[in-house]
Amino acid sequence: MSAGTTVSRTDTTFRLTELRKLMAVHNVDVYIVPSEDAHQSEYIAPVDARRAFISGFTGSAGCAVITSSKASLSTDGRYFLQAEQELDSNWELLKQGLPEVPTWQEWALREAEGGKNIGVDACLISAAQAKSLAEKLKNRKGGELIGMDLNLVDIVWGEKQPERPKELLRILGMEFAGKSFADKLAEIRKDIEKNKGCGLIVSMLDEIAWLFNLRGNDIPYNPVFFSYAFITPTEAILYIDEDKITEKIREGLGEDVTIKPYNAIFDDIKAFGEVTATSDKKLLVTSSVSWALTKSVDETKISTIKAPIEAAKAVKNETEVEGMRKSHIRDGAAQIQYFAWLEKVLARGDIYDEVSAADKLEEFRKEKEHFVGLSFPTISSAGSNGAIIHYQPEKNTCARVELNKIYLCDSGAQFLDGTTDSTRTLHYGSPTEEEKESYTLVLKGHIAVARAVFPKGSSGFILDILARQHLWRAGLDYRHGTGHGVGSFLNVHEGPIGIGTRMQYNEVPLEVGMFISNEPGYYEDGKYGIRIENVVLVAEKKTPNNFGDKKYYGFETVTMVPMCKRLIDATMLDEDEKKWLNEYHSEVYEKTKSFFKADEYTLEWLRRETAPV
Amino acid sequence: MSAGTTVSRTDTTFRLTELRKLMAVHNVDVYIVPSEDAHQSEYIAPVDARRAFISGFTGSAGCAVITSSKASLSTDGRYFLQAEQELDSNWELLKQGLPEVPTWQEWALREAEGGKNIGVDACLISAAQAKSLAEKLKNRKGGELIGMDLNLVDIVWGEKQPERPKELLRILGMEFAGKSFADKLAEIRKDIEKNKGCGLIVSMLDEIAWLFNLRGNDIPYNPVFFSYAFITPTEAILYIDEDKITEKIREGLGEDVTIKPYNAIFDDIKAFGEVTATSDKKLLVTSSVSWALTKSVDETKISTIKAPIEAAKAVKNETEVEGMRKSHIRDGAAQIQYFAWLEKVLARGDIYDEVSAADKLEEFRKEKEHFVGLSFPTISSAGSNGAIIHYQPEKNTCARVELNKIYLCDSGAQFLDGTTDSTRTLHYGSPTEEEKESYTLVLKGHIAVARAVFPKGSSGFILDILARQHLWRAGLDYRHGTGHGVGSFLNVHEGPIGIGTRMQYNEVPLEVGMFISNEPGYYEDGKYGIRIENVVLVAEKKTPNNFGDKKYYGFETVTMVPMCKRLIDATMLDEDEKKWLNEYHSEVYEKTKSFFKADEYTLEWLRRETAPV
């Protein structure tokens, strides 16, 4: 850690004592606190940050498990350092993916051996997870898995728990959405019919926002709103607090949509389950639907399908594709202004820390057309902080940005016409040979993904090695995936696609119109972090042949920000890689230069940074 | 097809008529004829070639399904052309892997709808396959799946069916096996204990040969012998016809081994199942164990585990590794003699066809120390025959090898100290630009695999794209895997590892000491085939760093035969690829030159072919 940065550790002793009293009252021996909300959201509203409240660990992924005498927090490689810094001595850290380290499920099951009960808020765990856990609990001779209607952490939190947000919705016009709600609904109903369903429960917030062409502001950085939807061949019910909806929105949705209160879905599903008990059609759910939603329905009447809305949403229509391209150019212009400005102020000795620098980046973004907000908290990290993969600088305590230290900036924004996400790693002084070598190895992997050509039907799973191959040859690697799907004015992390080693990525082929990030990295603990991230669009590639009439796909890079010249060791690049880099830089220059007509300094900076290697 | 080559099509009408009569007698509506024998062998003895007999299709993989009026043959991309040439009009070809084409299971289930019975010889299908098929049959409202004790094709075949071979076994000495039977047995017993088993059924012939350090000659090209084994914590029973065993072998095995007749295992397992019915330990089987073997045991008493012998056998000990290296050098010398000789005789106008040429290759191999036989039928294919991936030339009808056509030769041998398998694609005249480009793209993929570095724990699944990436960029591909495990004086195709898109390859990490083939290809139907195959050894690589203390692995190529200079377009190779090629050629020269001390012509040819590009 750099000087001036303090570790923020929460004392959780009192909270745990209170929680354990409640566990005893409710006959719960092992209590699970997942990081997700009732919609399996990755990013959550402050009201739902129960796992952070009880454990003190504020990273976006992880699960806490508490017994009468122990407490464990399981998280993945992105967060090992952060968790070590944030957890107090009440907690045992379970480093996911390391050999011999149990998953939170295994840890909980071990603690429950000998007839002990495991409790969990049934809204915060999926039916499939609950079923699997209950079965294992039985095999291990544990007690019951109790799916609770109330949340014990909420009771401990009490009055200090933030309010559930109630912001007004906004309609996303056809000029941005590109496809009407009616057309989307018709397609989803075809999916319901194809899957022999009598209805589909939709609980993922971005799926609901996409389907209804509505956006909200209930979760920071994610333009979604708390709601459920239930779609049948004849009905479309949106469960949402009515005071979030204006008359205009209600009119816009038309007569096909029924609005009901947020929590009314539980009774509706129960009633629906009873009515359709004799039908040969099934209630369709996806793997993210909570146990609480399906508990009331006979298991044999439920069919879990691959999320049809997630699949449809992942393939952007022409309007969305064009919006993504344009918003990434505007976003690139803001980053170029920022990185050029940062060089100037650092060179003249001005003092900026990670937060005050990032504030300037936000200013540049705010000036751009269609800007709504950031798409995630900016990871502005200097020197060794860059090695904390999902580092979030805090005002007053964060490190200074310095001329002679690597600076990693992972940032993105929400525009009405698109969501952006990119990372640049910069050096404004004289990087060491080691830093240049590491940067160039990461860049070679980035270019290998950007240039990849693969037959239709290929998944992101098989592309992962392209990003890592050069690092591996040097005995290096990084402990995160290489790419995630990106929404269009929606969540910056979006399923079902990804580039990485998760098996689920191998189940979904990349389709033309999908956007995905390309972000290899390398992290030298205690020294620096490197990540190079662009958003790319899956596109058909013209190949000299078309063996097997398969069609061949590749990527079109839409992020428009130069790589860091000072960090590139050009002797490590082959001709194809240099060609890609020079063509990319030329495109960045051409597409963004018009933003700097009245800003000779930035234009000159851009010209220098995009000149051929 | 080249002139002079005739299609060999068998008229199956009478055979099918006879079979259908028997099906009616046994109340079977749909009859399955798998290609495997009772040991799920890939290569089979002539006596077990039931699927070839009934269908006329002689390829090594495929399944026949016969109803009262239809017959279908399902096979994979390697065999599409061959099957089209061999099947008569009684047969429908199901091209596996193409869209909309049903698997043989789906085809059989569809035919069985409406209460019809499916029959199969219970020795020829695994318990897992049978269970899955029976369940689906029930869901589809078909009749019963009948696991038959007799084989209907054998009855149709009658007296003309070949005899079951009864060749004497040979002991594989410690100088070749490297590990004693007693040591292997002790390790397997540990596996049995770890899996809470009371016994392990072993039915794969190469597993039995490996465990007992015995070799046989019952299946052409595979040094195995018909047998079963049953291993318990206290017993080791080898089920084999006693007249295959000499007194010396019996003595060598020691008192720990009981010899019983081949078919005695069925009664033994039945009795064992009854005796252990009250034990809390289970009978261990692997996924390849036949339904016939386990039918008599209560399903809840059986546990299917990953084959422990297959896993142990895949990692070669030091003696085996050294034997594989040495046998590949001798085998390489034979191929070098052959390819040099072929150039000479073709250049002077001698006439050789695919078979007579390959006979010469076998002559060169036979002269080499420890030679036992070929490891598979040599694929000696000229011009367009090379596009038939598993082509087998036939005497008298096969094509001529010509100076100005691509010649593909995929061959291998069994030596006492190792099994070899390699493919070279050659041109002795003036290849076209297209041929050179295709060859060089395949070579680039081959080199990418050969040079790969990857962290310990990586599977062959993730390496597949390395072999295909350059072909894909040109819109080209090949319809087979990139690599298979290779035995040590055992089967040339060996589990559980592989490089390719089969999901099972992703479940097994590559370990130091494993041998695998590296064989990308490209096939232009009707014109030519290209394949470049070396056997490689998984080895630890020294990398400049060791991120995560993971250890990094790569390959050591053990096949020692030059690539074809005339077919390489050196301008398409980058510096790393040229370096690999030149270093490989230099190694080939150094390791094989001593074989040609008295053969100046071959030495000169080798010198020319291994000179740096």
Side-chain angles (χ1 to χ4, degrees):
Chain A
M1 298 288 293
S2 308
T5 310
T6 56
V7 174
S8 169
R9 220 185 277 280
T10 308
D11 182 349
T12 61
T13 310
F14 179 72
R15 297 172 187 182
L16 285 172
T17 306
E18 293 301 301
L19 179 65
R20 284 171 177 143
K21 283 184 201 160
L22 290 165
M23 284 164 59
V25 169
H26 288 90
N27 202 17
V28 166
D29 304 292
V30 180
Y31 189 63
I32 297 167
V33 186
S35 72
E36 290 82 9
D37 62 15
H39 306 274
Q40 296 283 311
S41 304
E42 184 192 357
Y43 289 89
I44 51 176
V47 58
D48 289 317
R50 300 175 182 97
R51 195 259 301 131
F53 171 79
I54 200 67
S55 72
F57 166 63
T58 62
S60 76
C63 184
V65 185
I66 298 101
T67 71
S68 63
S69 60
K70 295 186 205 167
S72 75
L73 185 286
S74 166
T75 190
D76 63 68
R78 295 174 299 174
Y79 292 115
F80 290 169
L81 276 177
Q82 183 179 339
E84 279 168 6
Q85 287 166 8
E86 292 184 334
L87 293 174
D88 72 9
S89 59
N90 289 298
W91 292 85
E92 175 188 351
L93 174 59
L94 305 179
K95 294 183 175 180
Q96 271 174 43
L98 294 199
E100 315 289 319
V101 174
T103 62
W104 67 259
Q105 289 93 337
E106 285 161 5
W107 196 91
L109 289 166
R110 208 170 55 196
E111 293 298 322
E113 274 178 11
K116 288 178 184 154
N117 294 334
I118 298 182
V120 63
D121 179 344
C123 279
L124 304 184
I125 187 170
S126 71
Q129 278 181 307
K131 190 179 169 185
S132 155
L133 197 60
E135 271 170 18
K136 286 179 187 145
L137 189 59
K138 207 173 144 191
N139 290 339
R140 297 279 282 266
K141 290 164 189 164
E144 292 292 308
L145 179 68
I146 306 171
M148 306 171 80
D149 293 333
L150 81 180
N151 190 293
L152 302 185
V153 175
D154 286 354
I155 301 171
V156 175
W157 211 343
E159 286 182 2
K160 289 188 177 153
Q161 185 172 24
E163 295 276 312
R164 190 158 292 279
K166 295 198 171 181
E167 305 249 356
L168 270 182
L169 304 192
R170 74 162 91 203
I171 296 168
L172 193 68
M174 277 294 282
E175 70 276 27
F176 300 120
K179 192 172 205 170
S180 70
F181 161 63
D183 285 350
K184 291 177 179 180
L185 184 64
E187 281 184 17
I188 298 310
R189 283 187 169 144
K190 271 188 208 156
D191 282 317
I192 293 173
E193 199 184 324
K194 208 178 68 189
N195 284 293
K196 292 170 188 163
C198 50
L200 171 73
I201 301 180
V202 190
S203 71
M204 293 284 281
L205 300 184
D206 62 339
E207 296 185 8
I208 299 171
W210 177 87
L211 175 61
F212 290 94
N213 284 340
L214 294 172
R215 296 295 186 269
N217 195 19
D218 284 353
I219 295 186
Y221 311 105
N222 295 252
V224 297
F225 46 91
F226 287 108
S227 54
Y228 294 102
F230 186 52
I231 312 295
T232 74
T234 53
E235 279 193 299
I237 311 172
L238 177 61
Y239 298 89
I240 186 168
D241 279 345
E242 300 219 7
D243 43 11
K244 287 183 183 176
I245 303 233
T246 62
E247 197 49 46
K248 196 180 153 203
I249 290 172
R250 190 183 290 270
E251 275 170 22
L253 289 172
E255 288 177 7
D256 286 348
V257 179
T258 311
I259 310 280
K260 293 193 177 183
Y262 179 57
N263 277 317
I265 189 166
F266 295 95
D267 285 342
D268 273 12
I269 295 297
K270 197 175 170 187
F272 189 85
E274 284 162 10
V275 168
T276 59
T278 54
S279 156
D280 63 344
K281 294 198 166 174
K282 301 220 176 178
L283 179 65
L284 304 179
V285 301
T286 63
S287 61
S288 57
V289 165
S290 73
W291 190 20
L293 278 165
T294 56
K295 264 169 71 169
S296 61
V297 182
D298 176 10
E299 209 184 310
T300 64
K301 299 298 301 171
I302 296 173
S303 171
T304 304
I305 61 170
K306 276 199 181 179
I309 300 182
E310 185 184 49
K313 175 168 59 64
V315 179
K316 273 65 178 174
N317 62 51
E318 279 178 35
T319 304
E320 289 173 319
V321 167
E322 203 43 41
M324 285 289 275
R325 285 195 186 111
K326 285 183 178 161
S327 57
H328 276 81
I329 293 170
R330 291 195 298 279
D331 192 76
Q335 289 189 65
I336 290 164
Q337 286 172 288
Y338 172 60
F339 293 131
W341 166 86
L342 194 57
E343 177 168 318
K344 185 167 64 187
V345 298
L346 291 180
R348 73 183 179 213
D350 292 2
I351 294 191
Y352 280 90
D353 65 21
E354 295 163 333
V355 169
S356 58
D359 287 347
K360 189 74 184 176
L361 172 56
E362 190 168 351
E363 275 178 38
F364 287 124
R365 280 199 163 102
K366 273 185 182 156
E367 299 164 356
K368 302 293 175 290
E369 194 185 6
H370 298 324
F371 176 86
V372 179
L374 299 186
S375 57
F376 59 97
T378 298
I379 301 172
S380 168
S381 53
S384 62
N385 289 340
I388 305 175
I389 296 176
H390 276 209
Y391 175 71
Q392 276 187 35
E394 285 180 34
K395 241 174 199 153
N396 305 321
T397 62
C398 68
R400 265 179 60 187
V401 181
E402 291 179 58
L403 259 185
N404 254 310
K405 274 187 182 163
I406 281 186
Y407 174 61
L408 184 157
C409 185
D410 186 350
S411 68
Q414 297 289 359
F415 296 92
L416 288 173
D417 55 350
T419 301
T420 67
D421 179 8
S422 71
T423 310
R424 284 297 177 269
T425 304
L426 293 102
H427 201 294
Y428 290 114
S430 302
T432 64
E433 285 307 307
E434 182 202 313
E435 287 168 338
K436 285 170 75 170
E437 191 190 333
S438 300
Y439 182 90
T440 310
L441 288 172
V442 174
L443 179 62
K444 284 167 80 79
H446 179 93
I447 294 174
V449 172
R451 291 184 67 238
V453 177
F454 44 87
K456 182 181 172 177
S458 300
S459 74
F461 183 91
I462 69 161
L463 302 181
D464 188 60
I465 188 175
L466 298 181
R468 294 178 204 268
Q469 58 185 333
H470 302 288
L471 287 162
W472 284 353
R473 193 173 298 285
L476 302 177
D477 201 355
Y478 52 94
R479 289 199 188 95
H480 60 72
T482 301
H484 55 80
V486 180
S488 179
F489 187 25
L490 265 177
N491 295 357
V492 71
H493 290 176
E494 183 179 91
I497 55 168
I499 301 175
T501 57
R502 288 190 200 175
M503 286 309 301
Q504 71 219 56
Y505 293 154
N506 201 39
E507 287 159 23
V508 198
L510 298 175
E511 301 286 356
V512 170
M514 290 175 161
F515 285 87
I516 195 164
S517 70
N518 168 14
E519 50 177 314
Y522 174 68
Y523 308 91
E524 185 75 32
D525 282 355
K527 288 170 79 179
Y528 59 84
I530 291 164
R531 186 160 62 253
I532 301 175
E533 177 185 22
N534 282 345
V535 171
V536 298
L537 164 66
V538 181
E540 196 170 335
K541 291 283 161 185
K542 277 195 185 132
T543 48
N545 308 280
N546 185 18
F547 178 79
D549 297 322
K550 287 182 181 186
K551 286 189 180 173
Y552 288 79
Y553 292 169
F555 298 119
E556 172 195 323
T557 295
V558 297
T559 300
M560 289 293 143
V561 186
M563 305 297 174
C564 179
K565 277 283 180 64
R566 279 192 186 84
L567 280 167
I568 296 173
D569 177 352
T571 65
M572 290 169 60
L573 300 179
D574 68 25
E575 290 310 309
D576 288 330
E577 289 162 343
K578 277 185 200 160
K579 185 163 175 276
W580 182 89
L581 186 66
N582 289 334
E583 284 176 2
Y584 175 63
H585 275 163
S586 157
E587 189 183 357
V588 169
Y589 179 78
E590 290 302 326
K591 288 193 168 156
T592 61
K593 66 179 180 188
S594 64
F595 286 83
F596 319 119
K597 277 178 189 156
D599 180 359
E600 186 51 42
Y601 166 74
T602 299
L603 190 65
E604 191 45 47
W605 185 90
L606 177 65
R607 209 174 273 138
R608 188 192 80 202
E609 289 297 308
T610 58
V613 294
Chain B
M1 298 289 295
S2 307
T5 310
T6 56
V7 174
S8 169
R9 220 185 277 280
T10 308
D11 182 350
T12 60
T13 310
F14 179 73
R15 296 172 187 182
L16 285 172
T17 306
E18 294 300 301
L19 178 66
R20 285 172 177 140
K21 283 184 202 161
L22 289 166
M23 284 164 60
V25 169
H26 289 89
N27 201 18
V28 166
D29 303 293
V30 179
Y31 188 64
I32 297 167
V33 186
S35 72
E36 290 82 8
D37 61 16
H39 306 274
Q40 297 282 310
S41 304
E42 184 191 358
Y43 290 88
I44 51 176
V47 57
D48 288 318
R50 301 176 182 95
R51 194 260 299 131
F53 170 79
I54 199 68
S55 72
F57 166 64
T58 61
S60 75
C63 183
V65 185
I66 298 102
T67 70
S68 63
S69 60
K70 295 185 204 168
S72 75
L73 185 285
S74 166
T75 190
D76 64 69
R78 294 174 299 174
Y79 291 115
F80 290 168
L81 276 176
Q82 183 180 339
E84 279 168 5
Q85 288 166 9
E86 292 184 333
L87 293 174
D88 72 8
S89 59
N90 288 299
W91 293 84
E92 175 187 351
L93 174 60
L94 305 179
K95 293 182 175 180
Q96 272 175 43
L98 294 200
E100 315 289 319
V101 174
T103 61
W104 68 258
Q105 288 93 337
E106 285 160 6
W107 196 91
L109 288 166
R110 209 170 55 197
E111 293 298 323
E113 274 177 13
K116 289 178 185 157
N117 295 334
I118 298 182
V120 63
D121 179 343
C123 279
L124 304 184
I125 186 169
S126 72
Q129 279 180 307
K131 190 179 170 187
S132 155
L133 196 60
E135 271 170 18
K136 286 180 186 145
L137 189 59
K138 208 173 144 190
N139 291 339
R140 296 280 281 268
K141 291 164 190 163
E144 293 292 307
L145 178 68
I146 307 171
M148 305 171 79
D149 292 333
L150 81 181
N151 189 294
L152 302 185
V153 175
D154 286 354
I155 301 171
V156 173
W157 211 342
E159 285 182 1
K160 288 187 179 155
Q161 185 172 23
E163 295 274 312
R164 190 157 292 280
K166 296 198 171 181
E167 304 248 357
L168 270 182
L169 304 193
R170 75 162 91 202
I171 296 167
L172 193 69
M174 278 294 283
E175 69 276 27
F176 301 119
K179 192 173 203 170
S180 70
F181 160 64
D183 286 350
K184 291 177 179 180
L185 183 64
E187 281 184 18
I188 297 310
R189 284 187 168 143
K190 272 187 207 154
D191 283 318
I192 292 173
E193 199 184 323
K194 208 178 68 191
N195 284 292
K196 292 170 190 165
C198 50
L200 171 72
I201 301 180
V202 190
S203 71
M204 293 285 281
L205 301 184
D206 61 339
E207 295 184 7
I208 299 170
W210 177 86
L211 175 62
F212 290 93
N213 284 340
L214 295 172
R215 296 296 186 268
N217 195 21
D218 285 353
I219 295 187
Y221 312 104
N222 295 254
V224 296
F225 46 91
F226 287 108
S227 54
Y228 295 102
F230 186 53
I231 311 295
T232 74
T234 53
E235 280 193 298
I237 311 172
L238 178 61
Y239 298 89
I240 186 168
D241 279 344
E242 301 219 7
D243 44 11
K244 288 183 182 175
I245 303 229
T246 61
E247 196 50 44
K248 197 180 154 202
I249 290 173
R250 190 184 289 270
E251 275 171 23
L253 288 172
E255 287 177 9
D256 286 347
V257 179
T258 312
I259 310 280
K260 292 192 177 183
Y262 179 57
N263 278 317
I265 189 166
F266 295 95
D267 285 342
D268 273 12
I269 295 296
K270 197 176 170 188
F272 189 84
E274 285 161 11
V275 167
T276 59
T278 54
S279 157
D280 63 344
K281 294 198 167 172
K282 301 220 177 179
L283 178 65
L284 304 180
V285 300
T286 63
S287 61
S288 57
V289 165
S290 73
W291 190 21
L293 278 165
T294 56
K295 265 169 71 168
S296 60
V297 182
D298 177 9
E299 210 183 310
T300 64
K301 299 298 301 173
I302 296 174
S303 171
T304 304
I305 61 169
K306 277 200 180 177
I309 299 181
E310 185 184 49
K313 174 168 61 64
V315 179
K316 273 65 178 173
N317 61 51
E318 279 179 36
T319 304
E320 289 172 319
V321 166
E322 203 42 43
M324 285 290 274
R325 285 195 186 111
K326 285 183 178 160
S327 58
H328 276 80
I329 293 170
R330 291 195 298 278
D331 191 75
Q335 289 189 66
I336 289 164
Q337 287 172 288
Y338 171 60
F339 292 131
W341 166 86
L342 194 58
E343 177 169 316
K344 185 167 64 187
V345 298
L346 291 179
R348 74 183 179 213
D350 293 2
I351 294 190
Y352 281 90
D353 64 22
E354 296 163 331
V355 169
S356 58
D359 287 347
K360 188 75 184 177
L361 172 56
E362 190 168 350
E363 274 179 37
F364 287 124
R365 280 199 164 104
K366 273 185 181 157
E367 298 164 356
K368 302 292 176 288
E369 194 185 6
H370 298 324
F371 176 87
V372 178
L374 299 186
S375 57
F376 59 97
T378 297
I379 301 171
S380 168
S381 53
S384 62
N385 289 340
I388 305 175
I389 296 177
H390 276 208
Y391 175 71
Q392 276 186 37
E394 284 181 33
K395 241 176 197 149
N396 306 321
T397 61
C398 67
R400 264 180 60 187
V401 181
E402 291 178 60
L403 258 185
N404 255 310
K405 275 188 181 163
I406 280 185
Y407 174 62
L408 184 157
C409 185
D410 186 350
S411 67
Q414 298 289 0
F415 296 93
L416 288 173
D417 55 350
T419 301
T420 68
D421 178 8
S422 72
T423 310
R424 284 298 178 270
T425 304
L426 293 101
H427 201 295
Y428 291 114
S430 301
T432 65
E433 284 307 307
E434 183 203 313
E435 287 168 338
K436 286 169 75 171
E437 192 190 334
S438 301
Y439 182 90
T440 311
L441 289 172
V442 173
L443 179 63
K444 284 167 80 77
H446 179 93
I447 294 174
V449 172
R451 291 184 67 237
V453 177
F454 44 87
K456 180 180 174 180
S458 299
S459 74
F461 183 91
I462 69 161
L463 302 180
D464 187 60
I465 188 175
L466 298 180
R468 295 179 203 268
Q469 59 185 334
H470 302 288
L471 286 162
W472 284 353
R473 193 173 297 286
L476 303 176
D477 201 356
Y478 52 94
R479 290 198 188 94
H480 60 73
T482 300
H484 55 80
V486 181
S488 178
F489 186 25
L490 266 177
N491 295 358
V492 72
H493 290 177
E494 183 180 89
I497 55 168
I499 302 175
T501 57
R502 289 190 198 174
M503 286 310 301
Q504 72 221 54
Y505 293 155
N506 201 40
E507 288 159 22
V508 197
L510 297 175
E511 301 286 357
V512 169
M514 289 175 161
F515 286 86
I516 195 164
S517 71
N518 168 13
E519 50 176 313
Y522 175 69
Y523 308 90
E524 185 75 33
D525 281 353
K527 288 170 79 179
Y528 60 84
I530 291 165
R531 186 161 63 253
I532 302 175
E533 177 186 21
N534 282 344
V535 172
V536 298
L537 164 66
V538 181
E540 196 169 335
K541 291 282 161 185
K542 277 194 184 134
T543 47
N545 309 280
N546 185 19
F547 179 79
D549 297 323
K550 288 182 182 185
K551 286 190 179 173
Y552 288 79
Y553 292 170
F555 298 119
E556 171 195 324
T557 295
V558 297
T559 300
M560 288 294 143
V561 186
M563 305 297 174
C564 178
K565 277 282 180 63
R566 279 193 187 84
L567 280 167
I568 297 174
D569 178 352
T571 66
M572 291 169 60
L573 300 179
D574 68 24
E575 289 311 308
D576 288 330
E577 290 163 342
K578 277 185 200 160
K579 185 163 175 274
W580 182 90
L581 186 66
N582 289 336
E583 285 175 2
Y584 175 63
H585 275 163
S586 156
E587 190 183 356
V588 170
Y589 179 78
E590 290 301 326
K591 288 193 169 159
T592 61
K593 67 179 181 188
S594 65
F595 286 83
F596 319 118
K597 277 178 188 154
D599 179 359
E600 187 52 42
Y601 167 74
T602 300
L603 190 65
E604 191 45 46
W605 184 91
L606 177 65
R607 211 174 271 137
R608 187 192 80 203
E609 289 297 307
T610 58
V613 293

